[in-house]
Amino acid sequence: MTREKPKNLWLSRWGFILAATGSAVGLGNIWKFPYITGEYGGGAFVLMYLACILAIGIPVMMTEIAIGRRGRGSPIDAIGRVVRENGGNPLWKAVGGMAMLAGFMILCFYVVVAGWAFAYTWKMLDGSLAATSVEALGGVFETHNANPWQLGGWSVLVALLTLWIVAKGVQKGIENAVRWMMPGLALMLIALVGYAFTSGSFSAGFGFLFHFDASKITGEALLAALGHAFFTLSLASGAILTYGSYIPDGQSIARTTFIVALCDTCVALLAGLAIFPIIFANGMSPSAGPGLIFMSLPLAFQQMPFGTAFGVLFFAMVSIAALTSAISMIEASVAYLNEKHGISRLRAAIGAGAVLLVISLLAMLSFNLLAGWTPLGKNFFDWLDYLTSRWMMPLGGIFMVLLAGYALRGEIMRDELGLPPAGYALWLFMVRYVSPVLIMVVFLHALGWLMFDPIAQWYWIAGAIGLLAVAGEVLRPRVMPVLTGR
């Protein structure tokens, strides 16, 4: 079968690395990862997290990039072409469809969250955050969300900026944007770490993040590491698979994946080094949840020399991180409309944007006019988050590794990955046996259905991996025709 010719390509390997890192780096890296690192044991958690990145993040990311480059298209088209090359069941395209839908649904509520960062950049400038207590700043945050015009205006701004960049194309739009946004984000982050170094509590912040305490290696910490490792790299959302379809042939997928994972982790740790010394220097608690960024930090900046300038710099950095993630979430949908249906990128972006604006406005109204509408105990914003993070993405990840590990002929992924025999054997073992079990653990934990402690009762995970390995080798000849359709 003749391989699909690429319609779009990154100008360089760094174009993909910057775009993929931008997709991975978001509000979760700048707030959640530093916080859960300190909460779950600092250095002990970092080691668990890195192990989970190796066990889930890198194998699944390599899989998505390889399928994207092999199929050269949106998730639906790329998986469809690879399956056709394999002579397999076309129903596998549904996995791509679910990934695209998950990414789009995430974006529908993410633009609201990103709007907070954009709004707070302005609020730092105009003095709206000149409060004297965390409680007062909490009132500013609630007032902002209660005003549908204000909250909606910032959300629409994020959506329009995202669509404008994507409409310009892969090279002129996305790659050009990340070429200045990601280095700009890195410079801002380094400047903030330098500012935190002068706070007088840098050693306390460093210790909070990196102090190793073996007693902190617990089942709860491992579950937090597993969950964050899976979600942080934008897996099973269509973003990485679509970005992978733009990688030129001949570039090492494994090397590129490791660089992206390393950059993502470094950004998260540097964010912690920027945030926590400032928090400790002002006698605040690092366990303030979302309020850490929107309530505690603004107050801390006000109490420090040049705090307003660095507060603006901080929220500008968060805004850039949010925008690079937003770009990746809608690219799969725009690529699908452009490539499959022949719609120009501009019209595809306008069409996808129209749907995005309607759904995102409903998510925004969950904080004010529709706050009382809570079907089955959740508002519209919460339902988007719940369905994507707890159901669609874990299931998408499981189906993706089943496709690559079982349904596709070995030579397809071997040729695309270009790994030496030992490297390919390791990737195949992880994708067939380790990653599915660990993703299932993430899935069951997210739903509250996990009935054991993964550290104290580690043998359940080891047994599941062993059982899957044995069953896979014994039953694969019988199961393969069902999975492949041949």
Side-chain angles (χ1 to χ4, degrees), residues 66-403:
I67 291 176
R69 187 168 73 177
R70 190 79 173 190
R72 295 294 187 192
S74 68
I76 293 177
D77 293 333
I79 291 176
R81 287 167 186 150
V82 173
V83 169
R84 277 202 308 275
E85 179 186 356
N86 189 64
N89 195 322
L91 290 177
W92 281 105
K93 291 192 296 184
V95 178
M98 182 165 64
M100 281 177 53
L101 181 60
F104 191 84
M105 289 172 62
I106 291 170
L107 181 59
C108 289
F109 69 85
Y110 193 80
V111 294
V112 179
V113 179
W116 293 339
F118 276 76
Y120 268 60
T121 306
W122 177 254
K123 289 179 186 294
M124 285 295 302
L125 278 169
D126 72 1
S128 299
L129 302 181
T132 57
S133 67
V134 172
E135 290 74 20
L137 282 167
V140 173
F141 188 66
E142 291 177 4
T143 300
H144 174 78
N145 288 340
N147 187 328
W149 293 104
Q150 188 173 143
L151 183 61
W154 288 106
S155 302
V156 169
L157 175 62
V158 174
L160 292 178
L161 285 173
T162 301
L163 295 166
W164 176 64
I165 292 171
V166 171
K168 294 176 69 176
V170 175
Q171 295 177 357
K172 293 182 179 180
I174 300 173
E175 188 165 3
N176 274 350
V178 298
R179 276 183 180 276
W180 70 265
M181 283 197 291
M182 292 309 296
L185 184 148
L187 289 174
M188 290 180 186
L189 191 53
I190 292 170
L192 286 165
V193 171
Y195 179 64
F197 189 76
T198 67
S199 69
S201 295
F202 190 80
S203 60
F206 188 91
F208 183 72
L209 279 173
F210 295 110
H211 173 68
F212 184 84
D213 182 356
S215 67
K216 296 291 187 178
I217 300 178
T218 63
E220 185 180 357
L222 179 60
L223 289 169
L226 277 172
H228 196 71
F230 180 77
F231 293 113
T232 188
L233 294 177
S234 299
L235 303 175
S237 65
I240 297 301
L241 196 151
T242 305
Y243 278 0
S245 71
Y246 306 143
I247 297 180
D249 293 329
Q251 289 190 7
S252 171
I253 290 176
R255 187 182 301 115
T256 302
T257 302
F258 273 94
I259 293 174
V260 172
L262 177 63
C263 291
D264 177 65
T265 303
C266 287
V267 167
L269 291 173
L270 284 172
L273 290 176
I275 292 171
F276 291 122
I278 295 173
I279 291 295
F280 287 127
N282 290 273
M284 297 176 179
S285 171
S287 59
L292 185 66
I293 284 183
F294 298 109
M295 297 169 209
S296 298
L297 271 176
L299 184 62
F301 281 127
Q302 291 177 52
Q303 298 171 356
M304 302 183 72
F306 308 106
T308 299
F310 280 96
V312 171
L313 187 67
F314 175 80
F315 284 110
M317 179 191 68
V318 177
S319 300
I320 289 175
L323 187 57
T324 56
S325 295
I327 291 168
S328 71
M329 292 176 199
I330 201 169
E331 171 60 17
S333 300
V334 172
Y336 175 74
L337 294 173
N338 175 234
E339 297 168 6
K340 183 71 174 178
H341 298 285
I343 303 172
S344 69
R345 283 193 71 93
L346 177 59
R347 291 186 177 182
I350 292 173
V355 179
L356 168 65
L357 288 173
V358 171
I359 300 177
S360 64
L361 287 176
L362 290 174
M364 176 274 297
L365 292 174
S366 298
F367 292 92
N368 36 73
L369 299 182
L370 295 181
W373 184 55
T374 55
L376 300 178
K378 291 182 175 62
N379 60 34
F380 190 77
F381 183 101
D382 292 336
W383 270 115
L384 288 173
D385 183 19
Y386 176 79
L387 291 173
T388 53
S389 65
R390 302 202 178 189
W391 285 93
M392 298 173 73
M393 292 179 71
L395 287 176
I398 290 171
F399 283 125
M400 189 65 69
V401 293
L402 290 178
L403 170 63

